[in-house]
mmCIF file of all heavy atoms in Angstrom:
data_model
loop_
_atom_site.group_PDB
_atom_site.id
_atom_site.type_symbol
_atom_site.label_atom_id
_atom_site.label_comp_id
_atom_site.label_asym_id
_atom_site.label_seq_id
_atom_site.Cartn_x
_atom_site.Cartn_y
_atom_site.Cartn_z
ATOM 1 N N PRO A 650 31.846 19.568 34.998
ATOM 2 C CA PRO A 650 31.589 20.899 35.483
ATOM 3 C C PRO A 650 30.250 21.034 36.156
ATOM 4 O O PRO A 650 29.256 20.471 35.642
ATOM 5 C CB PRO A 650 31.688 21.753 34.262
ATOM 6 C CG PRO A 650 32.129 20.898 33.150
ATOM 7 C CD PRO A 650 31.878 19.501 33.519
ATOM 8 N N ARG A 651 30.165 21.904 37.174
ATOM 9 C CA ARG A 651 28.975 22.096 37.905
ATOM 10 C C ARG A 651 28.578 23.588 37.954
ATOM 11 O O ARG A 651 27.392 23.896 37.699
ATOM 12 C CB ARG A 651 29.096 21.589 39.334
ATOM 13 C CG ARG A 651 29.366 20.051 39.446
ATOM 14 C CD ARG A 651 30.050 19.685 40.806
ATOM 15 N NE ARG A 651 29.330 20.112 41.961
ATOM 16 C CZ ARG A 651 28.328 19.425 42.558
ATOM 17 N NH1 ARG A 651 27.978 18.264 42.069
ATOM 18 N NH2 ARG A 651 27.785 19.893 43.581
ATOM 19 N N LEU A 652 29.529 24.432 38.190
ATOM 20 C CA LEU A 652 29.300 25.856 38.284
ATOM 21 C C LEU A 652 30.297 26.637 37.484
ATOM 22 O O LEU A 652 31.539 26.320 37.557
ATOM 23 C CB LEU A 652 29.303 26.342 39.731
ATOM 24 C CG LEU A 652 28.155 25.956 40.682
ATOM 25 C CD1 LEU A 652 28.572 26.297 42.076
ATOM 26 C CD2 LEU A 652 26.890 26.660 40.261
ATOM 27 N N GLY A 653 29.841 27.526 36.686
ATOM 28 C CA GLY A 653 30.867 28.373 35.945
ATOM 29 C C GLY A 653 30.567 29.830 36.134
ATOM 30 O O GLY A 653 29.354 30.195 36.407
ATOM 31 N N LEU A 654 31.545 30.660 36.003
ATOM 32 C CA LEU A 654 31.383 32.141 36.206
ATOM 33 C C LEU A 654 31.852 32.918 34.952
ATOM 34 O O LEU A 654 32.786 32.486 34.253
ATOM 35 C CB LEU A 654 32.205 32.580 37.436
ATOM 36 C CG LEU A 654 32.283 34.015 37.741
ATOM 37 C CD1 LEU A 654 32.353 34.249 39.240
ATOM 38 C CD2 LEU A 654 33.462 34.709 37.080
ATOM 39 N N THR A 655 31.055 33.913 34.604
ATOM 40 C CA THR A 655 31.558 34.797 33.543
ATOM 41 C C THR A 655 31.675 36.195 34.184
ATOM 42 O O THR A 655 30.947 36.581 35.069
ATOM 43 C CB THR A 655 30.609 34.930 32.346
ATOM 44 O OG1 THR A 655 29.429 35.590 32.751
ATOM 45 C CG2 THR A 655 30.250 33.528 31.850
ATOM 46 N N HIS A 656 32.561 37.008 33.556
ATOM 47 C CA HIS A 656 32.907 38.319 34.187
ATOM 48 C C HIS A 656 33.262 39.263 33.071
ATOM 49 O O HIS A 656 33.979 38.929 32.108
ATOM 50 C CB HIS A 656 34.107 38.104 35.095
ATOM 51 C CG HIS A 656 34.956 39.353 35.385
ATOM 52 N ND1 HIS A 656 36.039 39.690 34.607
ATOM 53 C CD2 HIS A 656 34.820 40.277 36.271
ATOM 54 C CE1 HIS A 656 36.570 40.843 35.032
ATOM 55 N NE2 HIS A 656 35.838 41.189 36.116
ATOM 56 N N ASN A 657 32.643 40.468 33.129
ATOM 57 C CA ASN A 657 32.937 41.460 32.160
ATOM 58 C C ASN A 657 33.301 42.811 32.827
ATOM 59 O O ASN A 657 32.753 43.100 33.911
ATOM 60 C CB ASN A 657 31.761 41.794 31.203
ATOM 61 C CG ASN A 657 31.477 40.645 30.218
ATOM 62 O OD1 ASN A 657 30.512 39.994 30.408
ATOM 63 N ND2 ASN A 657 32.374 40.560 29.274
ATOM 64 N N LEU A 658 34.234 43.520 32.216
ATOM 65 C CA LEU A 658 34.553 44.819 32.657
ATOM 66 C C LEU A 658 34.410 45.842 31.551
ATOM 67 O O LEU A 658 34.946 45.542 30.442
ATOM 68 C CB LEU A 658 36.035 44.826 33.176
ATOM 69 C CG LEU A 658 36.307 44.385 34.574
ATOM 70 C CD1 LEU A 658 37.851 44.316 34.687
ATOM 71 C CD2 LEU A 658 35.698 45.369 35.544
ATOM 72 N N GLY A 659 33.753 46.881 31.805
ATOM 73 C CA GLY A 659 33.675 47.880 30.744
ATOM 74 C C GLY A 659 34.155 49.205 31.300
ATOM 75 O O GLY A 659 33.995 49.566 32.465
ATOM 76 N N GLY A 660 34.779 49.970 30.403
ATOM 77 C CA GLY A 660 35.237 51.327 30.827
ATOM 78 C C GLY A 660 36.741 51.222 31.123
ATOM 79 O O GLY A 660 37.502 50.732 30.322
ATOM 80 N N PHE A 661 37.179 51.830 32.269
ATOM 81 C CA PHE A 661 38.529 51.882 32.607
ATOM 82 C C PHE A 661 38.726 51.511 34.040
ATOM 83 O O PHE A 661 37.795 51.681 34.902
ATOM 84 C CB PHE A 661 39.005 53.387 32.435
ATOM 85 C CG PHE A 661 38.420 53.993 31.109
ATOM 86 C CD1 PHE A 661 37.284 54.733 31.112
ATOM 87 C CD2 PHE A 661 39.062 53.715 29.883
ATOM 88 C CE1 PHE A 661 36.775 55.197 29.938
ATOM 89 C CE2 PHE A 661 38.503 54.181 28.756
ATOM 90 C CZ PHE A 661 37.385 54.979 28.731
ATOM 91 N N PRO A 662 39.906 51.114 34.490
ATOM 92 C CA PRO A 662 40.013 50.688 35.862
ATOM 93 C C PRO A 662 39.523 51.705 36.858
ATOM 94 O O PRO A 662 38.958 51.385 37.920
ATOM 95 C CB PRO A 662 41.507 50.396 36.024
ATOM 96 C CG PRO A 662 41.916 49.996 34.615
ATOM 97 C CD PRO A 662 41.089 50.817 33.705
ATOM 98 N N HIS A 663 39.749 52.953 36.559
ATOM 99 C CA HIS A 663 39.330 54.036 37.507
ATOM 100 C C HIS A 663 37.884 54.431 37.373
ATOM 101 O O HIS A 663 37.387 55.274 38.203
ATOM 102 C CB HIS A 663 40.265 55.271 37.351
ATOM 103 C CG HIS A 663 40.045 56.047 36.029
ATOM 104 N ND1 HIS A 663 40.583 55.604 34.895
ATOM 105 C CD2 HIS A 663 39.396 57.165 35.767
ATOM 106 C CE1 HIS A 663 40.241 56.479 33.901
ATOM 107 N NE2 HIS A 663 39.524 57.451 34.436
ATOM 108 N N GLN A 664 37.158 53.775 36.457
ATOM 109 C CA GLN A 664 35.799 54.205 36.266
ATOM 110 C C GLN A 664 35.047 53.185 35.402
ATOM 111 O O GLN A 664 35.288 53.217 34.136
ATOM 112 C CB GLN A 664 35.783 55.537 35.594
ATOM 113 C CG GLN A 664 34.488 56.308 35.663
ATOM 114 C CD GLN A 664 34.732 57.816 35.448
ATOM 115 O OE1 GLN A 664 35.319 58.441 36.342
ATOM 116 N NE2 GLN A 664 34.315 58.360 34.385
#
Side-chain angles (χ1 to χ4, degrees):
Chain A
R651 297 155 57 86
L652 286 171
L654 174 146
T655 73
H656 157 267
N657 289 109
L658 274 173
F661 317 96
H663 68 282
Q664 196 157 295

